[in-house]
Amino acid sequence: MFERARISGDFSRAAPVYAAYAALQAKIGAALIRHASPFLPAGGLLLDVGAGTGDVTQQWPMRAIALDAAFGMCREAMKKRLPVVHATAEQLPVRDTAVDAVASNLMLQWITQPERFFAESFRVIKPEGVLAISTFTEGTLDELSNAFAAAGEMHRTSDFTAPQTLTRSIRNNGFEIVSEQHETRVEFYDDVLDLCLSLRDIGAHNKRIDRPRGLLTLRKLREVAGYYGKTAQGIPARWEVHMVVARKKI
């Protein structure tokens, strides 16, 4: 479980510099667009949920509305002259069957009830419309999580859902999956501190309710680093990325 207020607050504070640090998110967003584009209706309307600063929203090959729960992200998206909605993914302020597609790039891992998002998406999408999502799944940041655990620091990273749990929830909410893709991406960082700071700079650091309180000391970080394998490129961070394109059944 996550602290909702902490999520929106952290991402709002990160908004002014988010684009400068979120290269991985941008790459995955571009991959999601490539993956979903063959299934999108021409000339339709897309709702981008968890749109952040709107950089990916601008790239969809159809008219798009940016929606985000963090006001700071909405403010940045408005600078791009996008139509913007400040709301949560679990309660979309959109009338029934109003959009041709709903997209979400790397947002699902930050909500505690993804099934609510899928139900809301089904409600607002037109019959035969499209849902396109990307999210991090189990295995993501396992190296960091294991290093923390070895140093006696539990619950320092988020938990991630299994891909099959994700797809089952999508189907249970009335969608037919038409395309699915999984890939592992590995990014390298100078050290553990560099990785943790990069997560902080995009607002993606730990938001678990059961997370330990207080900052890690440099001594503890050095201990964590001792359990983290390092290569000539630096320390690896693994991101398990799952993309799904589904169609609303009628």
Side-chain angles (χ1 to χ4, degrees):
M1 295 288 287
F2 298 115
E3 292 184 16
R4 184 187 295 274
R6 181 177 173 88
I7 292 171
S8 59
D10 284 350
F11 281 110
S12 282
R13 283 187 289 273
V17 297
Y18 181 86
Y21 292 100
L24 177 63
Q25 285 72 10
K27 292 176 187 176
I28 295 171
L32 176 63
I33 291 171
R34 290 193 299 272
H35 185 58
S37 288
F39 306 97
L40 296 175
L45 178 64
L46 178 142
L47 180 66
D48 187 1
V49 180
T53 57
D55 294 87
V56 174
T57 312
Q58 292 180 307
Q59 299 174 39
W60 285 99
M62 54 198 303
R63 292 179 297 135
I65 299 170
L67 183 148
D68 205 277
F71 184 75
M73 291 293 188
C74 292
R75 187 167 49 222
E76 293 299 314
M78 289 176 66
K79 295 176 182 178
K80 298 176 175 65
R81 301 185 182 277
L82 288 165
V84 177
V85 178
H86 180 220
T88 66
E90 298 98 326
Q91 193 169 1
L92 301 176
V94 179
R95 63 178 173 81
D96 295 357
T97 63
V99 301
D100 298 279
V102 169
S104 173
N105 180 49
L106 302 180
M107 177 277 298
L108 280 174
Q109 66 270 7
W110 298 118
I111 60 176
T112 56
Q113 294 182 299
E115 64 277 3
R116 286 288 304 147
F117 165 65
F118 297 138
E120 280 288 270
S121 296
F122 184 87
R123 179 182 64 80
V124 304
I125 292 174
K126 296 176 182 178
E128 297 291 335
V130 171
L131 172 70
I133 65 102
S134 68
T135 189
F136 294 129
T137 54
E138 64 180 358
T140 294
L141 294 178
D142 268 4
E143 301 90 349
L144 181 61
S145 178
N146 292 337
F148 272 128
E153 292 287 333
M154 308 302 294
H155 308 308
R156 282 286 183 180
T157 59
S158 298
D159 290 329
F160 296 92
T161 303
Q164 57 268 30
T165 300
L166 176 74
T167 53
R168 182 168 59 248
S169 184
I170 293 172
R171 290 191 178 99
N172 288 345
N173 280 283
F175 290 96
E176 174 189 11
I177 294 175
V178 296
S179 184
E180 195 170 359
Q181 180 175 310
H182 190 92
E183 63 176 307
T184 300
R185 289 178 177 253
V186 179
E187 301 285 314
F188 289 90
Y189 300 83
D190 292 339
D191 49 35
V192 172
L193 179 60
D194 182 39
L195 171 55
C196 290
L197 289 177
S198 73
L199 295 174
R200 182 205 64 184
D201 288 339
I202 60 170
H205 46 304
N206 193 9
K207 298 168 179 58
R208 295 170 61 133
I209 290 175
D210 61 352
R211 72 187 185 280
R213 305 294 161 158
L215 297 174
L216 284 166
T217 64
L218 287 176
R219 179 179 178 181
K220 178 58 72 172
L221 276 175
R222 284 194 290 268
E223 183 181 351
V224 172
Y227 293 106
Y228 205 127
K230 190 169 185 177
T231 71
Q233 296 170 276
I235 64 165
R238 179 161 51 102
W239 306 88
E240 297 293 342
V241 183
H242 205 69
M243 288 182 278
V244 178
V245 180
R247 183 169 286 118
K248 177 176 177 176
K249 295 190 291 187
I250 56 173

